[in-house]
Amino acid sequence: MSDAKKDAPVEVEGIKERSNRLRGTLLDSLGDRATGAISEDDTQISKFHGIYQQDDRDIRAERTEAKLEPAHSFMVRVRVPGGVCTPEQWLGMDALAQDHANGTLRLTTRQAFQFHGILKGNLKASIQAINTEVLDTIAACGDVNRNVMCTPLPETSRVHASALRYARDISDHLTPRTGAYHEIWLDGDKLDPGAPPEVEPIYGDHYLPRKFKIAMAIPPQNDVDVLAHDLGYIAIERGGRLVGFNVTVGGGMGATHGDPATFPRIADVLGFCTPAQAVAVAEHIVTIQRDFGDRTNRKHARFKYTVADRGLEWLREEFARRAGFALLPAAPFAFTHVGDRYGWVRGDDGLWHVTLYVPAGRLADTDDARWLTGLRLIAQQYAGEFRLTANQNVIISGIQPDERATVEHLLETHGLEQWKTLTPLGLNALACVALPTCGLAMAEAERYLPDLLASVQGRLDQHGLREADLVLRITGCPNGCARPYLADVALVGKAPGRYNLFLGGGTSGERLNQLVAENLSEEKILEVLDDHFARYAAERNGD
Ligand code: SRM
Ligand code: SF4
């Protein structure tokens, strides 16, 4: 490849530039009744609106043989900053899942809702229904800052309330300013053709080189895997009050099989900021990535590569130059665990909160558990909050003491108390969506998780390790949507029925695991695990 070609911006940069601030030709694509798809350029632009074109991969071959176009439908992702929504919003999402999607609601690893299976003709009504509930989908995907996460910590309500406020402020500040979203989906006024281009004060003409993710953790919980994010805030609390944040930079999970230039990376701690500086920190870090991120190679375009290539000292100086203030030295903090803590807990405000285990985040009514019906009844009857966790679970939050018995009864009668019977392996497990909707999946994940857990649990039981507090995560490809590279045991899809096996992540999300063997079938995976479990049972330390 010539140097000129190597340094040329990738095609997506041109699509963004020509899109007239994210309008593209989406209105034409939506109106084209000859196909269930949208134009190729619009598939890039629609991501900025929280919309992914997909097709049902289970029937892709059959459709090709019948000379039919793929069975197109759309995944729509709803931003829920900090994961907190009202019962009314919950009911709105539930209704939309029935009316226009595939009848299920998916809780993601980033505290968002996802709908699958929305047909092109139903997209506009779906986005309007979401906005009616004062939620939106803009910037849920695309080369911008995504949903801002925050530990949904129920116990320490005062620190949580402060942290959540900053997470929401950061989210608002980094939301694109274009009127395209309102124009296309909400029948907003059209931009006057003679008007000067709208200003995107933070993103400019080309938005970011790649997606950008922010998470806020409240120690000792690292339930958001804060070090897996481009930018992280670790809340520092003194005497029950939020006094500031340690700022972390350059985390990320995505990699490509066989390409050592791509890698998962644990974020570095850059320094400390006060709460009042938190939004400015986000703005300046994002604009540094806007200006220095690699726009010539999308596999090298995440902020983690900017940080790895240029170093922390460079970043501190560039930050201070732009911000007009330097970050202070980081404050001491300690994480004790990842994942969620299940069941009932009383907050320091006297209210009750219950964290439910949702298998792979998929809410549906099944013979075993009537998730949608049970949660609908709860949402209809009480006035607290629903909090989505970064581990695909949900917390029913802010329950008055006299409401607890009713909620408990509804959970029990609908089969939603699964946390009471599962082993730690099951409770800690995460699986990404993968097949049949994810266009990048190389192997199963969500659909395979129950069988995989049964097999691995069987091996643990044989070694007397039934209650071992292991974290298992599985993804259908190396992109890392269930943050597999932080788990004790991770399977990363390589081909149908084949996975790369990683072992040895840290217990508090601060250490990456390592590749142990490649391209293994389940039988081989269990053999390797058997050896390791035997040694773990014999040689581990007390805790
Ligand atoms: Fe992801 C792409 C699903 C969290 C790294 N991710 C995708 C797409 C949109 C596939 C695509 O591009 O066509 C998947 C849609 C599947 C489907 O049918 O729904 C998808 N990602 C998900 C979700 C739904 C997984 C889940 O089971 O919950 C999560 C939605 C989060 C949200 O609400 O915003 C999800 N994705 C993540 C995470 C975890 C996180 O952020 O904490 C990561 C790893 C962290 C990171 O970004 O480094 C992640 N997703 C990716 C990547 C790799 C990015 C990279 O740097 O290389 C891709 C592929 C890409 O961007 O090209 C990807
Ligand atoms: Fe799809 Fe891969 Fe993400 Fe799984 S990890 S949802 S297979 S992109």
Side-chain angles (χ1 to χ4, degrees), residues 396-538:
I396 305 166
S397 191
I399 300 166
Q400 297 290 342
D402 61 355
E403 290 172 329
R404 179 176 161 165
T406 317
V407 175
E408 241 170 339
H409 176 71
L410 286 168
L411 293 177
E412 194 193 333
T413 49
H414 290 81
L416 311 188
E417 293 185 318
Q418 300 192 359
W419 83 86
K420 290 186 172 172
T421 50
L422 286 170
T423 59
L425 184 78
L427 292 172
N428 293 333
L430 287 183
C432 74
V433 177
L435 293 163
T437 52
C438 178
L440 306 178
M442 300 169 176
E444 295 281 354
E446 181 185 323
R447 295 196 294 196
Y448 171 43
L449 183 67
D451 287 348
L452 174 69
L453 283 175
S455 306
V456 176
Q457 187 67 55
R459 301 297 166 125
L460 281 174
D461 292 357
Q462 283 168 13
H463 294 286
L465 293 170
R466 184 163 184 77
E467 296 301 323
D469 198 13
L470 292 182
V471 174
L472 180 148
R473 295 179 179 176
I474 175 170
T475 56
C477 84
N479 283 320
C481 297
R483 300 185 289 271
Y485 309 110
L486 295 168
D488 293 301
V489 179
L491 274 64
V492 173
K494 186 91 195 276
R498 301 272 169 167
Y499 298 85
N500 287 357
L501 179 65
F502 293 75
L503 296 176
T507 51
S508 54
E510 295 170 281
R511 184 182 73 209
L512 293 174
N513 53 22
Q514 289 179 23
L515 178 63
V516 167
E518 290 188 62
N519 207 24
L520 301 186
S521 62
E522 178 179 305
E523 196 187 342
K524 289 278 175 214
I525 290 166
L526 293 174
E527 265 175 38
V528 178
L529 288 180
D530 222 18
D531 288 347
H532 283 80
F533 290 166
R535 290 195 59 195
Y536 181 54

